[in-house]
Amino acid sequence: MKISYLLILLSLTLGTPSQIDVSEVRTAYIKASGDEQAVEQLNSKLISVTTTDVKVLVAYKGAVGTMMAKYAKGLKDKKSLFKEGVSLLDYAVTSDSLNVEIRCIRLSVQENAPKITGYKKNIDDDKAFILKNYNSMTDEGAKKFVKGYALRSKVFNDNERQLFQGL
């Protein structure tokens, strides 16, 4: 009986993916760049997300997994975390290939992935997709996230960044 109460309390404390606020995840993802503690906190928040959940959350979970690899001890753990993150991220892209935010998340990972990983093959495709489809986005939070990324990214040149200015 005590175990049942403990499991219920634990599930309420951790939350379920349907209770995860995507806008909070976006904000935390931006802040997590280069901050190990923030990466770990965001990873804990997304731990319950599975491939059956909202695909943008799956994409964020995958991206955070690749960020966790940076802080892992040992090459084996780094490689395992990175591969698992990439797998989730690519699954999200395959499942919802027309989602600009998901493509932006993948672009952010590929832009910042170490060359040794070889995970850079979709940079040009994702960039072109974002440039073509940005104006058709309806989710203002996602649109702001993509715009913010494009304005900071080295992938986009000055002329391309101008397309996001004033939007």
Coordinates of all heavy atoms in Angstrom, one line a residue, residues 76-115:
K76 N 32.6 6.3 -23.9 CA 31.5 5.4 -24.1 C 30.2 6.1 -23.8 O 29.2 6.0 -24.5 CB 31.7 4.1 -23.3 CG 30.7 3.1 -23.6 CD 31.0 1.8 -22.9 CE 29.9 0.7 -23.1 NZ 30.2 -0.5 -22.4
D77 N 30.1 6.7 -22.6 CA 28.9 7.4 -22.2 C 28.6 8.6 -23.1 O 27.4 8.8 -23.4 CB 29.0 7.9 -20.7 CG 29.0 6.7 -19.7 OD1 28.5 5.6 -20.1 OD2 29.4 6.9 -18.6
K78 N 29.6 9.3 -23.5 CA 29.4 10.5 -24.4 C 28.8 10.0 -25.7 O 27.8 10.5 -26.2 CB 30.7 11.2 -24.7 CG 31.2 12.0 -23.5 CD 32.6 12.6 -23.9 CE 33.2 13.4 -22.8 NZ 32.5 14.7 -22.5
K79 N 29.3 8.9 -26.2 CA 28.9 8.4 -27.5 C 27.4 7.9 -27.4 O 26.6 8.1 -28.2 CB 29.8 7.3 -28.0 CG 29.5 6.8 -29.4 CD 30.5 5.7 -29.8 CE 30.2 5.2 -31.1 NZ 31.2 4.2 -31.6
S80 N 27.2 7.1 -26.3 CA 25.8 6.6 -26.1 C 24.8 7.6 -26.0 O 23.7 7.6 -26.6 CB 25.9 5.7 -24.9 OG 24.6 5.2 -24.6
L81 N 25.0 8.7 -25.1 CA 24.1 9.7 -24.9 C 23.8 10.5 -26.2 O 22.7 10.9 -26.6 CB 24.6 10.7 -23.9 CG 24.4 10.2 -22.4 CD1 25.2 11.1 -21.5 CD2 23.0 10.2 -22.0
F82 N 24.9 10.8 -27.0 CA 24.8 11.5 -28.2 C 23.9 10.7 -29.2 O 23.0 11.3 -29.8 CB 26.1 11.9 -28.8 CG 26.1 12.8 -29.9 CD1 26.0 14.2 -29.7 CD2 26.1 12.4 -31.3 CE1 25.9 15.1 -30.7 CE2 26.0 13.3 -32.3 CZ 25.9 14.7 -32.0
K83 N 24.3 9.5 -29.4 CA 23.5 8.6 -30.3 C 22.0 8.5 -30.0 O 21.2 8.6 -30.9 CB 24.1 7.2 -30.4 CG 25.4 7.2 -31.2 CD 26.0 5.8 -31.2 CE 25.9 5.2 -32.6 NZ 26.5 3.9 -32.8
E84 N 21.8 8.4 -28.7 CA 20.4 8.3 -28.3 C 19.6 9.6 -28.5 O 18.5 9.6 -29.0 CB 20.3 7.9 -26.8 CG 18.9 7.7 -26.2 CD 18.9 7.4 -24.8 OE1 19.8 6.7 -24.3 OE2 17.9 7.8 -24.1
G85 N 20.3 10.7 -28.3 CA 19.7 12.0 -28.5 C 19.4 12.2 -30.0 O 18.3 12.7 -30.4
V86 N 20.4 11.9 -30.8 CA 20.2 12.0 -32.3 C 19.1 11.1 -32.8 O 18.3 11.5 -33.6 CB 21.6 11.7 -33.0 CG1 21.3 11.4 -34.5 CG2 22.6 12.8 -32.8
S87 N 19.0 9.9 -32.2 CA 17.9 9.0 -32.6 C 16.6 9.6 -32.3 O 15.7 9.6 -33.2 CB 18.1 7.7 -31.9 OG 17.1 6.8 -32.2
L88 N 16.4 10.2 -31.2 CA 15.1 10.8 -30.8 C 14.8 12.0 -31.7 O 13.7 12.2 -32.2 CB 15.1 11.2 -29.3 CG 14.9 10.1 -28.3 CD1 15.2 10.6 -26.9 CD2 13.6 9.5 -28.4
L89 N 15.8 12.8 -31.9 CA 15.7 14.0 -32.7 C 15.3 13.7 -34.2 O 14.4 14.3 -34.7 CB 17.0 14.8 -32.7 CG 17.0 16.2 -33.3 CD1 15.8 17.1 -32.9 CD2 18.3 16.9 -33.0
D90 N 16.0 12.8 -34.7 CA 15.7 12.4 -36.1 C 14.3 11.7 -36.2 O 13.6 11.9 -37.2 CB 16.8 11.4 -36.7 CG 18.1 12.2 -37.0 OD1 18.0 13.4 -37.1 OD2 19.1 11.6 -37.2
Y91 N 13.9 11.0 -35.2 CA 12.6 10.4 -35.1 C 11.6 11.5 -35.2 O 10.6 11.4 -35.9 CB 12.4 9.5 -33.9 CG 11.0 9.1 -33.7 CD1 10.5 8.0 -34.4 CD2 10.1 9.7 -32.9 CE1 9.2 7.6 -34.3 CE2 8.8 9.4 -32.7 CZ 8.3 8.3 -33.4 OH 7.0 7.9 -33.3
A92 N 11.8 12.5 -34.4 CA 10.8 13.7 -34.4 C 10.7 14.3 -35.7 O 9.6 14.6 -36.2 CB 11.2 14.7 -33.3
V93 N 11.9 14.5 -36.4 CA 11.9 15.1 -37.7 C 11.1 14.2 -38.7 O 10.3 14.7 -39.5 CB 13.3 15.4 -38.2 CG1 13.3 15.9 -39.6 CG2 14.0 16.5 -37.3
T94 N 11.4 12.9 -38.7 CA 10.7 12.0 -39.6 C 9.2 12.0 -39.3 O 8.4 12.0 -40.3 CB 11.3 10.6 -39.4 OG1 12.7 10.6 -39.7 CG2 10.6 9.6 -40.3
S95 N 8.8 12.0 -38.0 CA 7.4 12.0 -37.7 C 6.7 13.2 -38.0 O 5.4 13.2 -38.2 CB 7.3 11.7 -36.2 OG 7.9 10.4 -35.9
D96 N 7.3 14.4 -38.0 CA 6.7 15.7 -38.2 C 7.6 16.5 -39.0 O 8.1 17.6 -38.6 CB 6.3 16.3 -36.9 CG 5.4 17.5 -37.0 OD1 5.0 17.8 -38.2 OD2 5.0 18.1 -36.0
S97 N 7.9 16.1 -40.3 CA 8.9 16.8 -41.1 C 8.6 18.2 -41.5 O 9.4 18.9 -42.0 CB 9.2 15.9 -42.3 OG 8.1 15.8 -43.1
L98 N 7.3 18.6 -41.4 CA 6.9 19.9 -41.8 C 6.9 20.9 -40.6 O 6.5 22.0 -40.8 CB 5.5 19.8 -42.4 CG 5.4 18.9 -43.7 CD1 4.0 18.9 -44.2 CD2 6.4 19.4 -44.7
N99 N 7.4 20.5 -39.5 CA 7.4 21.3 -38.3 C 8.7 22.1 -38.3 O 9.8 21.6 -38.1 CB 7.3 20.5 -37.0 CG 7.2 21.3 -35.8 OD1 7.9 22.2 -35.5 ND2 6.2 20.9 -35.0
V100 N 8.5 23.4 -38.4 CA 9.7 24.3 -38.5 C 10.5 24.4 -37.2 O 11.7 24.4 -37.3 CB 9.2 25.8 -38.9 CG1 10.4 26.7 -39.0 CG2 8.5 25.8 -40.2
E101 N 9.8 24.3 -36.1 CA 10.5 24.3 -34.8 C 11.4 23.1 -34.7 O 12.5 23.2 -34.2 CB 9.5 24.5 -33.7 CG 10.2 24.5 -32.3 CD 9.2 24.7 -31.2 OE1 7.9 24.6 -31.4 OE2 9.6 25.1 -30.1
I102 N 10.9 21.9 -35.0 CA 11.6 20.7 -34.9 C 12.9 20.8 -35.8 O 14.0 20.4 -35.4 CB 10.8 19.5 -35.2 CG1 9.7 19.3 -34.1 CG2 11.6 18.2 -35.4 CD1 8.7 18.2 -34.3
R103 N 12.7 21.3 -37.0 CA 13.8 21.4 -37.9 C 14.8 22.4 -37.4 O 16.1 22.2 -37.5 CB 13.3 21.8 -39.3 CG 12.4 20.9 -40.0 CD 13.0 19.6 -40.5 NE 13.8 19.8 -41.7 CZ 13.3 19.7 -42.9 NH1 12.1 19.2 -43.1 NH2 14.1 19.9 -44.0
C104 N 14.4 23.4 -36.7 CA 15.3 24.4 -36.1 C 16.1 23.8 -34.9 O 17.3 24.0 -34.8 CB 14.5 25.6 -35.6 SG 15.5 26.9 -34.9
I105 N 15.4 22.9 -34.1 CA 16.1 22.2 -33.1 C 17.2 21.4 -33.6 O 18.3 21.4 -33.1 CB 15.1 21.4 -32.2 CG1 14.0 22.3 -31.5 CG2 15.8 20.5 -31.2 CD1 12.8 21.6 -31.0
R106 N 16.9 20.6 -34.7 CA 17.9 19.8 -35.3 C 19.0 20.6 -35.8 O 20.2 20.3 -35.7 CB 17.3 18.9 -36.4 CG 18.4 18.0 -37.0 CD 17.9 16.9 -37.9 NE 17.4 17.5 -39.1 CZ 16.9 16.7 -40.1 NH1 16.8 15.4 -40.0 NH2 16.4 17.3 -41.2
L107 N 18.7 21.7 -36.5 CA 19.7 22.6 -37.0 C 20.6 23.1 -35.9 O 21.9 23.1 -36.0 CB 19.1 23.8 -37.7 CG 20.1 24.8 -38.3 CD1 21.0 24.2 -39.3 CD2 19.3 25.9 -39.0
S108 N 20.1 23.4 -34.7 CA 20.9 23.9 -33.6 C 21.8 22.8 -33.1 O 23.0 23.1 -32.8 CB 20.0 24.4 -32.5 OG 19.4 23.4 -31.8
V109 N 21.4 21.6 -33.1 CA 22.2 20.5 -32.7 C 23.3 20.3 -33.7 O 24.5 20.2 -33.3 CB 21.4 19.2 -32.4 CG1 22.4 18.0 -32.2 CG2 20.5 19.4 -31.2
Q110 N 23.0 20.2 -35.0 CA 24.0 20.0 -36.0 C 25.0 21.1 -36.1 O 26.2 20.8 -36.3 CB 23.3 19.7 -37.3 CG 22.6 18.4 -37.3 CD 22.2 17.9 -38.7 OE1 22.3 18.6 -39.7 NE2 21.6 16.7 -38.7
E111 N 24.6 22.3 -35.9 CA 25.5 23.4 -36.0 C 26.5 23.3 -34.9 O 27.7 23.7 -35.1 CB 24.7 24.8 -35.9 CG 25.7 26.0 -35.9 CD 25.0 27.3 -35.8 OE1 23.7 27.3 -35.6 OE2 25.7 28.3 -36.0
N112 N 26.1 22.9 -33.7 CA 27.0 22.8 -32.5 C 27.6 21.5 -32.2 O 28.4 21.4 -31.3 CB 26.2 23.3 -31.3 CG 25.8 24.8 -31.5 OD1 26.7 25.7 -31.5 ND2 24.6 25.1 -31.7
A113 N 27.3 20.5 -33.0 CA 27.8 19.1 -32.8 C 29.3 19.1 -33.2 O 29.7 19.7 -34.2 CB 27.1 18.1 -33.6
P114 N 30.1 18.5 -32.4 CA 31.6 18.3 -32.8 C 31.7 17.6 -34.2 O 30.9 16.7 -34.5 CB 32.1 17.5 -31.7 CG 31.2 17.6 -30.5 CD 29.8 17.8 -31.1
K115 N 32.6 18.0 -35.0 CA 32.8 17.5 -36.3 C 33.0 16.0 -36.2 O 32.5 15.2 -37.1 CB 34.0 18.1 -37.0 CG 33.7 19.5 -37.5 CD 34.8 20.1 -38.3 CE 34.5 21.5 -38.8 NZ 35.5 22.1 -39.6

